[in-house]
Amino acid sequence: MNKEERKKVKFSLIKFTKKGSQRFTGFAEIDNENLYYGNRIYEDCIRYCHRTLNTSNEFKGNFTQIEEIEFENGKGQLVELEVETSYSLWFKIL
């Protein structure tokens, strides 16, 4: 989707991990599939969001993403892990 087809939104994104949760808020852009925040793209998350009751431009939903993490173990070997991360997203189209 072209950048011209994106919509500006105010959003709140909560990332849930074993260490706790992190909240990101601010302004971003969306298209029919993705949330664009700074240099980060949350892919394929918009389809999990549904309109909140009694509103025409507020949406919320939950989604998960699998991220590959590479680190060096105690033996000096590079190890790759796939980590599943859960998110809760709310946004309002401006």
Side-chain angles (χ1 to χ4, degrees):
M1 184 169 270
N2 294 337
K3 191 168 183 169
E4 294 81 32
E5 298 175 12
R6 294 182 188 173
K7 299 174 186 172
K8 293 192 182 277
V9 295
K10 182 176 181 178
F11 80 100
S12 173
L13 180 71
I14 302 172
K15 178 180 179 179
F16 299 98
T17 65
K18 288 183 179 181
K19 296 180 181 179
S21 61
Q22 292 178 304
R23 179 182 297 262
F24 305 95
T25 59
F27 296 95
E29 294 181 333
I30 62 167
D31 58 21
N32 291 333
E33 300 173 354
N34 308 314
L35 173 73
Y36 302 91
Y37 175 60
N39 60 357
R40 180 96 163 119
I41 300 174
Y42 295 92
E43 295 179 348
D44 201 28
C45 63
I46 300 302
R47 70 179 175 143
Y48 297 107
C49 295
H50 306 283
R51 183 174 283 132
T52 57
L53 293 176
N54 302 320
T55 67
S56 61
N57 62 346
E58 290 186 31
F59 298 80
K60 66 180 177 178
N62 299 309
F63 65 98
T64 59
Q65 285 190 337
I66 296 176
E67 302 174 64
E68 290 185 9
I69 297 174
E70 189 176 274
F71 67 95
E72 189 174 314
N73 67 8
K75 298 178 182 178
Q77 300 169 327
L78 285 178
V79 178
E80 253 184 46
L81 290 178
E82 287 187 351
V83 177
E84 186 176 78
T85 306
S86 297
Y87 295 89
S88 177
L89 174 62
W90 168 91
F91 65 88
K92 179 178 182 177
I93 299 174
L94 302 176

